[in-house]
Amino acid sequence: MIRITNLRKSFGYHMVVQDVSFAVERGETLALLGPNGSGKTTTLKCLVGLSLPDAGEIRIGGWNIAEHAQAARNLVGYLPQRVSLPENLTARETLRFYGRLRKIPPQRIEELLAQTQFSLNGCSDRPVGTFSGGMLQRLGLAIACLPDTPILILDEPMINLDPQGTLHFREYLKSLKGQGKTIVLSSHILSDVEQLADRVAILVAGKLVALKSIETLRLEMLRWSRLHIRVAGNADRWQDAARKAGAESVIADGNSLWIVSEPARRYEILRTVEAAGATILQFFTTEPSLEDIYLRYAHEQIAAGGDSSGRTAGRVPGAAG
């Protein structure tokens, strides 16, 4: 459904997106993961035609967006990172306005307002200027979902929602996925990424440094987990035993051993350390979070010579991306 090839975008001397390429298949949910300034929002703006790329090609539903912008946009519902709407209109009037732009039947608006995930707590006829950030976000989500498009592009969709609103909208996105919708979203809420995405694209300083399935990332989380063994007395003397049993790295800290190894070797390491004479008081594993994995990729990018700021050396940066 979506093909991005060698996308590049800069603002002045600031290179925000650098040769990013990926595809999203029909019915797939792809999450863009990265900190502020990593290029997520700029990539999504280019994807929906709100920002013109410097180079590269974007195709939506087979349409080249540079040559057939309207045909491509008709396939997409979009939520920007910052929802900005006329403050003097009510929520219902706002939805009707966008409905007329997209030629949406009026009954569709009432259907959305009646759904739990878009509930405005009885404030559908209040001016938008009186809305809280969470209510404004719900209205923006309703506008994005107003047309029954096969593709949804959502930039930080749950950022201002309360826990209940987040739960309702997360379940709604799962239902859309079940209907075969294609969804691209960016998020800082890692639990949402883990529950919603099929694949994750990790951006660091405008570069795509990883594009992996959630299952692969979960295996990496398991692979990078650490075994913690607490023993009676000083743990230094048991480091060699752990290494001989297959530990890849061992750190002794007081009466604790912190061990990285293949998951299948952990039981043998425990047995070997105990057989060597250690009195084991406690043991458990700690698994890295999705954030830990992201930071690992970020550190690897910096170590490889990438600039975490995304700026071109020796030049004055322009607008942020």
Tab-separated table of all heavy atoms in Angstrom, residues 235-297:
chain	number	residue	atom	x	y	z
A	235	ALA	N	31.271	-11.962	45.272
A	235	ALA	CA	30.951	-12.705	44.044
A	235	ALA	C	32.122	-12.821	43.082
A	235	ALA	O	32.053	-13.576	42.115
A	235	ALA	CB	29.767	-12.040	43.332
A	236	ASP	N	33.221	-12.096	43.329
A	236	ASP	CA	34.344	-12.095	42.384
A	236	ASP	C	34.861	-13.496	42.075
A	236	ASP	O	35.194	-13.816	40.928
A	236	ASP	CB	35.505	-11.264	42.942
A	236	ASP	CG	35.261	-9.774	42.798
A	236	ASP	OD1	34.434	-9.402	41.958
A	236	ASP	OD2	35.888	-8.996	43.535
A	237	ARG	N	34.906	-14.330	43.078
A	237	ARG	CA	35.558	-15.639	42.932
A	237	ARG	C	34.793	-16.586	42.019
A	237	ARG	O	35.315	-17.630	41.617
A	237	ARG	CB	35.753	-16.277	44.318
A	237	ARG	CG	34.442	-16.474	45.059
A	237	ARG	CD	34.674	-16.891	46.500
A	237	ARG	NE	35.340	-18.184	46.593
A	237	ARG	CZ	35.438	-18.873	47.724
A	237	ARG	NH1	34.913	-18.377	48.848
A	237	ARG	NH2	36.034	-20.037	47.748
A	238	TRP	N	33.526	-16.234	41.670
A	238	TRP	CA	32.711	-17.150	40.861
A	238	TRP	C	32.600	-16.697	39.398
A	238	TRP	O	31.895	-17.322	38.618
A	238	TRP	CB	31.309	-17.285	41.457
A	238	TRP	CG	31.305	-17.508	42.944
A	238	TRP	CD1	30.750	-16.712	43.897
A	238	TRP	CD2	31.905	-18.590	43.643
A	238	TRP	NE1	30.958	-17.220	45.149
A	238	TRP	CE2	31.668	-18.387	45.021
A	238	TRP	CE3	32.630	-19.729	43.250
A	238	TRP	CZ2	32.128	-19.258	46.004
A	238	TRP	CZ3	33.080	-20.601	44.222
A	238	TRP	CH2	32.832	-20.367	45.573
A	239	GLN	N	33.322	-15.648	39.032
A	239	GLN	CA	33.242	-15.151	37.655
A	239	GLN	C	33.761	-16.182	36.645
A	239	GLN	O	33.144	-16.390	35.599
A	239	GLN	CB	34.036	-13.852	37.509
A	239	GLN	CG	33.417	-12.671	38.242
A	239	GLN	CD	34.148	-11.376	37.936
A	239	GLN	OE1	34.022	-10.815	36.837
A	239	GLN	NE2	34.933	-10.907	38.888
A	240	ASP	N	34.896	-16.797	36.951
A	240	ASP	CA	35.473	-17.764	36.006
A	240	ASP	C	34.540	-18.949	35.782
A	240	ASP	O	34.408	-19.458	34.656
A	240	ASP	CB	36.829	-18.267	36.518
A	240	ASP	CG	37.914	-17.213	36.375
A	240	ASP	OD1	37.699	-16.258	35.590
A	240	ASP	OD2	38.951	-17.335	37.053
A	241	ALA	N	33.898	-19.411	36.837
A	241	ALA	CA	32.971	-20.540	36.697
A	241	ALA	C	31.827	-20.174	35.763
A	241	ALA	O	31.408	-20.985	34.914
A	241	ALA	CB	32.430	-20.937	38.073
A	242	ALA	N	31.305	-18.956	35.899
A	242	ALA	CA	30.214	-18.518	35.027
A	242	ALA	C	30.679	-18.445	33.576
A	242	ALA	O	29.951	-18.847	32.659
A	242	ALA	CB	29.687	-17.166	35.499
A	243	ARG	N	31.883	-17.936	33.353
A	243	ARG	CA	32.400	-17.834	31.974
A	243	ARG	C	32.597	-19.228	31.361
A	243	ARG	O	32.273	-19.450	30.187
A	243	ARG	CB	33.718	-17.061	31.964
A	243	ARG	CG	33.566	-15.580	32.276
A	243	ARG	CD	34.850	-14.818	31.978
A	243	ARG	NE	34.734	-13.423	32.341
A	243	ARG	CZ	35.146	-12.922	33.513
A	243	ARG	NH1	35.722	-13.724	34.419
A	243	ARG	NH2	34.992	-11.640	33.775
A	244	LYS	N	33.123	-20.149	32.130
A	244	LYS	CA	33.346	-21.506	31.613
A	244	LYS	C	32.036	-22.196	31.256
A	244	LYS	O	32.010	-23.072	30.392
A	244	LYS	CB	34.109	-22.330	32.647
A	244	LYS	CG	35.568	-21.903	32.805
A	244	LYS	CD	36.261	-22.703	33.897
A	244	LYS	CE	37.702	-22.239	34.065
A	244	LYS	NZ	38.391	-22.965	35.182
A	245	ALA	N	30.950	-21.802	31.916
A	245	ALA	CA	29.645	-22.413	31.642
A	245	ALA	C	28.932	-21.751	30.474
A	245	ALA	O	27.824	-22.176	30.109
A	245	ALA	CB	28.774	-22.334	32.893
A	246	GLY	N	29.559	-20.714	29.878
A	246	GLY	CA	28.972	-20.124	28.672
A	246	GLY	C	28.552	-18.684	28.778
A	246	GLY	O	27.945	-18.144	27.826
A	247	ALA	N	28.859	-18.013	29.888
A	247	ALA	CA	28.507	-16.600	30.009
A	247	ALA	C	29.338	-15.769	29.030
A	247	ALA	O	30.549	-15.963	28.922
A	247	ALA	CB	28.740	-16.112	31.433
A	248	GLU	N	28.693	-14.881	28.300
A	248	GLU	CA	29.396	-14.012	27.357
A	248	GLU	C	30.074	-12.850	28.075
A	248	GLU	O	31.128	-12.378	27.660
A	248	GLU	CB	28.428	-13.487	26.303
A	248	GLU	CG	27.858	-14.586	25.423
A	248	GLU	CD	26.831	-14.066	24.441
A	248	GLU	OE1	26.775	-12.843	24.220
A	248	GLU	OE2	26.068	-14.883	23.901
A	249	SER	N	29.429	-12.354	29.105
A	249	SER	CA	30.052	-11.325	29.941
A	249	SER	C	29.575	-11.510	31.370
A	249	SER	O	28.448	-11.944	31.604
A	249	SER	CB	29.708	-9.920	29.438
A	249	SER	OG	28.355	-9.605	29.696
A	250	VAL	N	30.479	-11.188	32.313
A	250	VAL	CA	30.178	-11.324	33.738
A	250	VAL	C	30.692	-10.088	34.458
A	250	VAL	O	31.851	-9.697	34.276
A	250	VAL	CB	30.830	-12.583	34.353
A	250	VAL	CG1	30.417	-12.722	35.826
A	250	VAL	CG2	30.487	-13.823	33.578
A	251	ILE	N	29.825	-9.472	35.236
A	251	ILE	CA	30.225	-8.341	36.069
A	251	ILE	C	29.921	-8.697	37.514
A	251	ILE	O	28.787	-9.074	37.845
A	251	ILE	CB	29.484	-7.051	35.671
A	251	ILE	CG1	29.845	-6.648	34.235
A	251	ILE	CG2	29.814	-5.910	36.637
A	251	ILE	CD1	29.055	-5.463	33.723
A	252	ALA	N	30.939	-8.596	38.384
A	252	ALA	CA	30.760	-8.846	39.810
A	252	ALA	C	30.607	-7.510	40.526
A	252	ALA	O	31.387	-6.579	40.302
A	252	ALA	CB	31.943	-9.621	40.372
A	253	ASP	N	29.591	-7.434	41.369
A	253	ASP	CA	29.332	-6.216	42.130
A	253	ASP	C	28.907	-6.615	43.541
A	253	ASP	O	27.752	-6.979	43.756
A	253	ASP	CB	28.248	-5.381	41.452
A	253	ASP	CG	27.948	-4.083	42.187
A	253	ASP	OD1	28.768	-3.684	43.037
A	253	ASP	OD2	26.890	-3.477	41.925
A	254	GLY	N	29.874	-6.579	44.470
A	254	GLY	CA	29.579	-7.012	45.833
A	254	GLY	C	29.267	-8.489	45.853
A	254	GLY	O	30.081	-9.316	45.428
A	255	ASN	N	28.069	-8.834	46.297
A	255	ASN	CA	27.687	-10.252	46.330
A	255	ASN	C	26.811	-10.633	45.143
A	255	ASN	O	26.115	-11.639	45.177
A	255	ASN	CB	26.976	-10.583	47.647
A	255	ASN	CG	25.601	-9.937	47.746
A	255	ASN	OD1	25.331	-8.950	47.071
A	255	ASN	ND2	24.741	-10.502	48.587
A	256	SER	N	26.863	-9.826	44.069
A	256	SER	CA	26.022	-10.066	42.887
A	256	SER	C	26.858	-10.317	41.645
A	256	SER	O	27.903	-9.689	41.432
A	256	SER	CB	25.101	-8.872	42.635
A	256	SER	OG	24.166	-8.722	43.673
A	257	LEU	N	26.386	-11.251	40.837
A	257	LEU	CA	26.925	-11.490	39.496
A	257	LEU	C	25.871	-11.068	38.481
A	257	LEU	O	24.717	-11.496	38.565
A	257	LEU	CB	27.258	-12.968	39.286
A	257	LEU	CG	28.450	-13.543	40.038
A	257	LEU	CD1	28.478	-15.059	39.868
A	257	LEU	CD2	29.759	-12.929	39.536
A	258	TRP	N	26.264	-10.216	37.522
A	258	TRP	CA	25.379	-9.822	36.420
A	258	TRP	C	25.926	-10.473	35.159
A	258	TRP	O	27.055	-10.213	34.753
A	258	TRP	CB	25.352	-8.301	36.269
A	258	TRP	CG	24.689	-7.614	37.431
A	258	TRP	CD1	25.290	-7.092	38.540
A	258	TRP	CD2	23.286	-7.402	37.590
A	258	TRP	NE1	24.353	-6.559	39.382
A	258	TRP	CE2	23.116	-6.729	38.833
A	258	TRP	CE3	22.162	-7.706	36.825
A	258	TRP	CZ2	21.865	-6.354	39.305
A	258	TRP	CZ3	20.920	-7.337	37.296
A	258	TRP	CH2	20.761	-6.666	38.510
A	259	ILE	N	25.103	-11.332	34.539
A	259	ILE	CA	25.590	-12.211	33.472
A	259	ILE	C	24.748	-12.043	32.210
A	259	ILE	O	23.516	-12.033	32.267
A	259	ILE	CB	25.531	-13.682	33.945
A	259	ILE	CG1	26.487	-13.878	35.126
A	259	ILE	CG2	25.857	-14.638	32.799
A	259	ILE	CD1	26.284	-15.192	35.845
A	260	VAL	N	25.428	-11.919	31.077
A	260	VAL	CA	24.782	-11.941	29.770
A	260	VAL	C	25.150	-13.256	29.105
A	260	VAL	O	26.339	-13.611	29.023
A	260	VAL	CB	25.226	-10.758	28.886
A	260	VAL	CG1	24.620	-10.878	27.488
A	260	VAL	CG2	24.811	-9.434	29.527
A	261	SER	N	24.147	-13.982	28.625
A	261	SER	CA	24.401	-15.266	27.972
A	261	SER	C	23.213	-15.619	27.096
A	261	SER	O	22.158	-14.981	27.165
A	261	SER	CB	24.611	-16.366	29.012
A	261	SER	OG	23.376	-16.686	29.634
A	262	GLU	N	23.368	-16.659	26.300
A	262	GLU	CA	22.226	-17.196	25.578
A	262	GLU	C	21.229	-17.733	26.598
A	262	GLU	O	21.617	-18.342	27.596
A	262	GLU	CB	22.670	-18.316	24.636
A	262	GLU	CG	23.566	-17.844	23.505
A	262	GLU	CD	23.963	-18.994	22.602
A	262	GLU	OE1	23.455	-20.120	22.817
A	262	GLU	OE2	24.773	-18.767	21.688
A	263	PRO	N	19.920	-17.500	26.358
A	263	PRO	CA	18.926	-17.959	27.335
A	263	PRO	C	19.051	-19.439	27.696
A	263	PRO	O	18.867	-19.807	28.857
A	263	PRO	CB	17.597	-17.658	26.636
A	263	PRO	CG	17.904	-16.497	25.739
A	263	PRO	CD	19.308	-16.730	25.265
A	264	ALA	N	19.393	-20.284	26.708
A	264	ALA	CA	19.459	-21.727	26.952
A	264	ALA	C	20.605	-22.113	27.890
A	264	ALA	O	20.601	-23.222	28.452
A	264	ALA	CB	19.612	-22.468	25.623
A	265	ARG	N	21.574	-21.224	28.072
A	265	ARG	CA	22.741	-21.544	28.902
A	265	ARG	C	22.578	-21.112	30.367
A	265	ARG	O	23.434	-21.429	31.195
A	265	ARG	CB	23.997	-20.891	28.327
A	265	ARG	CG	24.445	-21.493	27.006
A	265	ARG	CD	25.753	-20.871	26.543
A	265	ARG	NE	26.253	-21.527	25.349
A	265	ARG	CZ	27.049	-22.597	25.340
A	265	ARG	NH1	27.419	-23.133	26.502
A	265	ARG	NH2	27.459	-23.134	24.216
A	266	ARG	N	21.521	-20.392	30.678
A	266	ARG	CA	21.432	-19.796	32.015
A	266	ARG	C	21.330	-20.845	33.123
A	266	ARG	O	21.936	-20.698	34.188
A	266	ARG	CB	20.241	-18.831	32.059
A	266	ARG	CG	20.504	-17.583	31.236
A	266	ARG	CD	19.304	-16.688	31.146
A	266	ARG	NE	19.554	-15.651	30.133
A	266	ARG	CZ	18.610	-14.962	29.531
A	266	ARG	NH1	17.336	-15.201	29.806
A	266	ARG	NH2	18.921	-14.043	28.640
A	267	TYR	N	20.563	-21.892	32.882
A	267	TYR	CA	20.433	-22.922	33.915
A	267	TYR	C	21.775	-23.597	34.175
A	267	TYR	O	22.146	-23.836	35.333
A	267	TYR	CB	19.387	-23.949	33.501
A	267	TYR	CG	19.191	-25.061	34.513
A	267	TYR	CD1	18.682	-24.783	35.786
A	267	TYR	CD2	19.513	-26.385	34.200
A	267	TYR	CE1	18.511	-25.793	36.725
A	267	TYR	CE2	19.347	-27.398	35.133
A	267	TYR	CZ	18.846	-27.090	36.382
A	267	TYR	OH	18.681	-28.092	37.316
A	268	GLU	N	22.523	-23.883	33.104
A	268	GLU	CA	23.831	-24.516	33.265
A	268	GLU	C	24.795	-23.596	34.014
A	268	GLU	O	25.605	-24.055	34.833
A	268	GLU	CB	24.404	-24.875	31.896
A	268	GLU	CG	25.762	-25.575	31.946
A	268	GLU	CD	25.694	-26.911	32.683
A	268	GLU	OE1	24.621	-27.546	32.677
A	268	GLU	OE2	26.722	-27.302	33.266
A	269	ILE	N	24.697	-22.283	33.772
A	269	ILE	CA	25.545	-21.327	34.492
A	269	ILE	C	25.233	-21.359	35.978
A	269	ILE	O	26.142	-21.397	36.825
A	269	ILE	CB	25.364	-19.910	33.917
A	269	ILE	CG1	25.954	-19.837	32.505
A	269	ILE	CG2	26.023	-18.858	34.817
A	269	ILE	CD1	25.606	-18.566	31.757
A	270	LEU	N	23.954	-21.367	36.307
A	270	LEU	CA	23.558	-21.454	37.719
A	270	LEU	C	24.116	-22.721	38.376
A	270	LEU	O	24.682	-22.678	39.479
A	270	LEU	CB	22.030	-21.444	37.825
A	270	LEU	CG	21.313	-20.102	37.817
A	270	LEU	CD1	19.811	-20.305	37.668
A	270	LEU	CD2	21.610	-19.330	39.097
A	271	ARG	N	23.941	-23.853	37.703
A	271	ARG	CA	24.413	-25.125	38.261
A	271	ARG	C	25.929	-25.116	38.440
A	271	ARG	O	26.450	-25.602	39.440
A	271	ARG	CB	24.008	-26.278	37.344
A	271	ARG	CG	22.511	-26.554	37.331
A	271	ARG	CD	22.199	-27.782	36.504
A	271	ARG	NE	22.917	-28.969	36.997
A	271	ARG	CZ	22.946	-30.140	36.383
A	271	ARG	NH1	22.299	-30.291	35.236
A	271	ARG	NH2	23.600	-31.152	36.890
A	272	THR	N	26.635	-24.534	37.450
A	272	THR	CA	28.099	-24.530	37.508
A	272	THR	C	28.605	-23.646	38.633
A	272	THR	O	29.546	-24.008	39.363
A	272	THR	CB	28.672	-24.057	36.167
A	272	THR	OG1	28.223	-24.926	35.132
A	272	THR	CG2	30.193	-24.045	36.195
A	273	VAL	N	28.008	-22.478	38.785
A	273	VAL	CA	28.419	-21.569	39.864
A	273	VAL	C	28.159	-22.228	41.225
A	273	VAL	O	28.994	-22.162	42.140
A	273	VAL	CB	27.674	-20.221	39.750
A	273	VAL	CG1	27.889	-19.362	40.996
A	273	VAL	CG2	28.147	-19.462	38.514
A	274	GLU	N	27.018	-22.904	41.358
A	274	GLU	CA	26.706	-23.575	42.625
A	274	GLU	C	27.657	-24.740	42.868
A	274	GLU	O	28.146	-24.943	43.998
A	274	GLU	CB	25.260	-24.057	42.611
A	274	GLU	CG	24.803	-24.640	43.936
A	274	GLU	CD	23.335	-25.016	43.912
A	274	GLU	OE1	22.882	-25.574	42.885
A	274	GLU	OE2	22.639	-24.750	44.922
A	275	ALA	N	27.941	-25.503	41.804
A	275	ALA	CA	28.846	-26.642	41.943
A	275	ALA	C	30.263	-26.204	42.294
A	275	ALA	O	31.011	-26.953	42.931
A	275	ALA	CB	28.856	-27.456	40.643
A	276	ALA	N	30.635	-24.986	41.899
A	276	ALA	CA	31.959	-24.462	42.222
A	276	ALA	C	32.075	-24.056	43.681
A	276	ALA	O	33.180	-23.732	44.152
A	276	ALA	CB	32.276	-23.265	41.320
A	277	GLY	N	30.971	-24.055	44.395
A	277	GLY	CA	31.020	-23.779	45.821
A	277	GLY	C	30.225	-22.573	46.267
A	277	GLY	O	30.185	-22.271	47.475
A	278	ALA	N	29.578	-21.877	45.364
A	278	ALA	CA	28.829	-20.678	45.727
A	278	ALA	C	27.512	-21.057	46.410
A	278	ALA	O	26.864	-22.034	46.032
A	278	ALA	CB	28.541	-19.829	44.494
A	279	THR	N	27.161	-20.283	47.423
A	279	THR	CA	25.842	-20.418	48.051
A	279	THR	C	24.925	-19.389	47.412
A	279	THR	O	25.079	-18.183	47.628
A	279	THR	CB	25.919	-20.177	49.560
A	279	THR	OG1	26.805	-21.137	50.148
A	279	THR	CG2	24.541	-20.289	50.199
A	280	ILE	N	23.994	-19.868	46.588
A	280	ILE	CA	23.120	-18.956	45.848
A	280	ILE	C	21.937	-18.571	46.718
A	280	ILE	O	21.173	-19.425	47.179
A	280	ILE	CB	22.644	-19.611	44.532
A	280	ILE	CG1	23.850	-19.864	43.615
A	280	ILE	CG2	21.605	-18.727	43.834
A	280	ILE	CD1	23.503	-20.572	42.315
A	281	LEU	N	21.798	-17.274	46.957
A	281	LEU	CA	20.717	-16.754	47.790
A	281	LEU	C	19.495	-16.371	46.967
A	281	LEU	O	18.361	-16.482	47.431
A	281	LEU	CB	21.205	-15.526	48.575
A	281	LEU	CG	22.437	-15.732	49.461
A	281	LEU	CD1	22.837	-14.406	50.100
A	281	LEU	CD2	22.164	-16.787	50.528
A	282	GLN	N	19.747	-15.924	45.743
A	282	GLN	CA	18.646	-15.429	44.907
A	282	GLN	C	19.131	-15.353	43.469
A	282	GLN	O	20.312	-15.110	43.213
A	282	GLN	CB	18.212	-14.034	45.386
A	282	GLN	CG	16.992	-13.457	44.675
A	282	GLN	CD	16.683	-12.046	45.163
A	282	GLN	OE1	17.580	-11.275	45.478
A	282	GLN	NE2	15.400	-11.709	45.219
A	283	PHE	N	18.212	-15.558	42.523
A	283	PHE	CA	18.547	-15.325	41.120
A	283	PHE	C	17.291	-14.923	40.356
A	283	PHE	O	16.185	-15.343	40.690
A	283	PHE	CB	19.207	-16.559	40.471
A	283	PHE	CG	18.309	-17.756	40.372
A	283	PHE	CD1	17.522	-17.966	39.244
A	283	PHE	CD2	18.262	-18.691	41.409
A	283	PHE	CE1	16.699	-19.072	39.149
A	283	PHE	CE2	17.432	-19.796	41.317
A	283	PHE	CZ	16.650	-19.991	40.187
A	284	PHE	N	17.459	-14.094	39.352
A	284	PHE	CA	16.353	-13.664	38.488
A	284	PHE	C	16.946	-13.034	37.229
A	284	PHE	O	18.157	-12.757	37.159
A	284	PHE	CB	15.429	-12.662	39.201
A	284	PHE	CG	16.120	-11.437	39.718
A	284	PHE	CD1	16.293	-10.311	38.916
A	284	PHE	CD2	16.588	-11.395	41.022
A	284	PHE	CE1	16.921	-9.182	39.394
A	284	PHE	CE2	17.225	-10.266	41.511
A	284	PHE	CZ	17.389	-9.152	40.702
A	285	THR	N	16.102	-12.854	36.220
A	285	THR	CA	16.542	-12.198	34.986
A	285	THR	C	15.859	-10.845	34.854
A	285	THR	O	14.725	-10.658	35.293
A	285	THR	CB	16.224	-13.044	33.739
A	285	THR	OG1	14.817	-13.286	33.683
A	285	THR	CG2	16.961	-14.370	33.771
A	286	THR	N	16.555	-9.902	34.248
A	286	THR	CA	15.992	-8.586	33.938
A	286	THR	C	16.028	-8.414	32.426
A	286	THR	O	17.074	-8.594	31.800
A	286	THR	CB	16.793	-7.454	34.597
A	286	THR	OG1	18.160	-7.509	34.170
A	286	THR	CG2	16.741	-7.569	36.118
A	287	GLU	N	14.869	-8.104	31.850
A	287	GLU	CA	14.778	-7.953	30.402
A	287	GLU	C	14.794	-6.479	30.023
A	287	GLU	O	14.157	-5.658	30.692
A	287	GLU	CB	13.503	-8.604	29.871
A	287	GLU	CG	13.469	-10.109	30.039
A	287	GLU	CD	12.263	-10.730	29.371
A	287	GLU	OE1	11.454	-9.981	28.799
A	287	GLU	OE2	12.140	-11.963	29.423
A	288	PRO	N	15.486	-6.128	28.947
A	288	PRO	CA	15.482	-4.731	28.502
A	288	PRO	C	14.123	-4.368	27.926
A	288	PRO	O	13.394	-5.217	27.416
A	288	PRO	CB	16.564	-4.705	27.417
A	288	PRO	CG	16.587	-6.092	26.879
A	288	PRO	CD	16.289	-6.984	28.059
A	289	SER	N	13.770	-3.108	28.020
A	289	SER	CA	12.525	-2.620	27.438
A	289	SER	C	12.763	-2.268	25.972
A	289	SER	O	13.897	-2.250	25.484
A	289	SER	CB	12.039	-1.378	28.186
A	289	SER	OG	12.966	-0.309	28.000
A	290	LEU	N	11.661	-1.944	25.273
A	290	LEU	CA	11.791	-1.476	23.899
A	290	LEU	C	12.620	-0.196	23.852
A	290	LEU	O	13.380	0.035	22.912
A	290	LEU	CB	10.400	-1.232	23.313
A	290	LEU	CG	10.287	-1.074	21.804
A	290	LEU	CD1	10.867	-2.266	21.078
A	290	LEU	CD2	8.824	-0.875	21.410
A	291	GLU	N	12.505	0.607	24.899
A	291	GLU	CA	13.308	1.827	24.974
A	291	GLU	C	14.793	1.496	25.064
A	291	GLU	O	15.627	2.148	24.436
A	291	GLU	CB	12.877	2.660	26.172
A	291	GLU	CG	13.635	3.983	26.304
A	291	GLU	CD	13.131	4.821	27.449
A	291	GLU	OE1	12.374	4.305	28.289
A	291	GLU	OE2	13.494	6.006	27.514
A	292	ASP	N	15.136	0.477	25.855
A	292	ASP	CA	16.536	0.057	25.951
A	292	ASP	C	17.078	-0.358	24.594
A	292	ASP	O	18.227	-0.062	24.238
A	292	ASP	CB	16.680	-1.111	26.938
A	292	ASP	CG	16.364	-0.717	28.367
A	292	ASP	OD1	16.645	0.440	28.735
A	292	ASP	OD2	15.828	-1.564	29.100
A	293	ILE	N	16.252	-1.083	23.829
A	293	ILE	CA	16.680	-1.524	22.502
A	293	ILE	C	16.874	-0.325	21.586
A	293	ILE	O	17.855	-0.246	20.838
A	293	ILE	CB	15.652	-2.513	21.920
A	293	ILE	CG1	15.742	-3.838	22.674
A	293	ILE	CG2	15.873	-2.733	20.429
A	293	ILE	CD1	14.805	-4.901	22.194
A	294	TYR	N	15.927	0.638	21.657
A	294	TYR	CA	16.096	1.838	20.848
A	294	TYR	C	17.408	2.539	21.195
A	294	TYR	O	18.172	2.944	20.310
A	294	TYR	CB	14.930	2.815	21.034
A	294	TYR	CG	15.274	4.163	20.470
A	294	TYR	CD1	15.256	4.366	19.098
A	294	TYR	CD2	15.700	5.189	21.288
A	294	TYR	CE1	15.644	5.570	18.565
A	294	TYR	CE2	16.095	6.397	20.761
A	294	TYR	CZ	16.053	6.586	19.407
A	294	TYR	OH	16.464	7.773	18.882
A	295	LEU	N	17.685	2.699	22.484
A	295	LEU	CA	18.904	3.394	22.904
A	295	LEU	C	20.151	2.646	22.440
A	295	LEU	O	21.157	3.266	22.092
A	295	LEU	CB	18.911	3.562	24.423
A	295	LEU	CG	17.883	4.557	24.973
A	295	LEU	CD1	17.860	4.515	26.499
A	295	LEU	CD2	18.177	5.970	24.486
A	296	ARG	N	20.067	1.322	22.407
A	296	ARG	CA	21.209	0.545	21.917
A	296	ARG	C	21.480	0.875	20.447
A	296	ARG	O	22.629	1.075	20.047
A	296	ARG	CB	20.932	-0.956	22.100
A	296	ARG	CG	22.056	-1.866	21.621
A	296	ARG	CD	21.659	-3.323	21.794
A	296	ARG	NE	21.660	-3.703	23.179
A	296	ARG	CZ	22.684	-4.327	23.781
A	296	ARG	NH1	23.777	-4.620	23.094
A	296	ARG	NH2	22.607	-4.663	25.053
A	297	TYR	N	20.404	0.931	19.638
A	297	TYR	CA	20.590	1.290	18.231
A	297	TYR	C	21.120	2.713	18.097
A	297	TYR	O	21.967	2.999	17.234
A	297	TYR	CB	19.276	1.157	17.473
A	297	TYR	CG	18.948	-0.256	17.084
A	297	TYR	CD1	17.886	-0.931	17.668
A	297	TYR	CD2	19.697	-0.928	16.120
A	297	TYR	CE1	17.580	-2.236	17.325
A	297	TYR	CE2	19.399	-2.236	15.764
A	297	TYR	CZ	18.336	-2.883	16.380
A	297	TYR	OH	18.046	-4.178	16.028
